Amino acid sequence: MPTRKPPTLRLVRATPQRRKRVAISQLTGLILARTKFGSAAYHGDLSFDDRIVRIKKRTHAIDDYIIPGFIDLQVNGGCGIDVMSASVDDLLELSHCLAHEGTTGWLPTVITSPLETIERVDAIIAAAMAAQAETDHAAQRGARNLVGATILGM
């Protein structure tokens, strides 16, 4: 009896050599979702714009998973970008990089520093959030994932 290979979770890796922005509006796979009675898993198509528009169940098995995104409450940096020394464009690039790793919401971390540094970094985070909101509104997409800041050592 042949054994069936278990489904795999495929992530798009954001590397300096391959950072491509791709707009998608439908995913097909094993949908893992919360219900009022607990959890559910079924094969289907998930169509969306800035919200889920339709879920269509399928009868045949699909190897990919569709799961809720991750929320990271403390991000010091990533993809070669340090939050404390980042520009607005750097934070937007980091936001894009994290989204490719499956993080749908994140909080850049402001570490213990002189007050002037904390104020400067907070202003840059606020500007990045505003820029991301403008871009998302213009594109009619709910792709904003930079949601605030974590401040440590206050």
Side-chain angles (χ1 to χ4, degrees):
M1 176 173 186
T3 56
R4 188 176 173 321
K5 184 179 106 177
T8 58
L9 177 63
R10 295 182 189 146
L11 294 176
V12 178
R13 290 271 171 212
T15 62
Q17 297 81 20
R18 189 182 74 170
R19 281 196 184 135
K20 186 176 181 183
R21 295 173 193 253
V22 178
I24 56 173
S25 61
Q26 181 172 318
L27 298 171
T28 300
L30 180 63
I31 301 168
L32 305 177
R34 301 271 309 156
T35 68
K36 65 181 182 178
F37 302 110
S39 297
Y42 45 88
H43 298 283
D45 298 325
L46 182 72
S47 301
F48 55 92
D49 48 29
D50 62 332
R51 295 177 186 195
I52 294 174
V53 175
R54 181 181 61 142
I55 297 175
K56 180 181 173 187
K57 292 185 180 179
R58 290 180 170 241
T59 56
H60 64 281
I62 304 160
D63 287 341
D64 295 324
Y65 283 109
I66 301 173
I67 60 174
F70 303 111
I71 299 173
D72 196 333
L73 301 178
Q74 183 179 345
V75 177
N76 293 317
C79 300
I81 299 167
D82 176 28
V83 167
M84 292 299 290
S85 59
S87 66
V88 171
D89 288 337
D90 290 339
L91 289 181
L92 294 174
E93 181 64 25
L94 179 54
S95 189
H96 175 71
C97 182
L98 290 169
H100 271 275
E101 296 292 330
T103 302
T104 58
W106 67 286
L107 298 172
T109 302
V110 181
I111 61 171
T112 305
S113 298
L115 186 56
E116 301 79 34
T117 303
I118 292 172
E119 289 172 340
R120 178 186 56 77
V121 174
D122 283 349
I124 290 169
I125 292 169
M129 290 174 67
Q132 193 174 56
E134 261 181 45
T135 303
D136 293 342
H137 181 68
Q140 293 299 311
R141 290 304 221 182
R144 179 178 32 210
N145 65 350
L146 173 56
V147 295
T150 301
I151 301 174
L152 299 178
M154 294 298 292

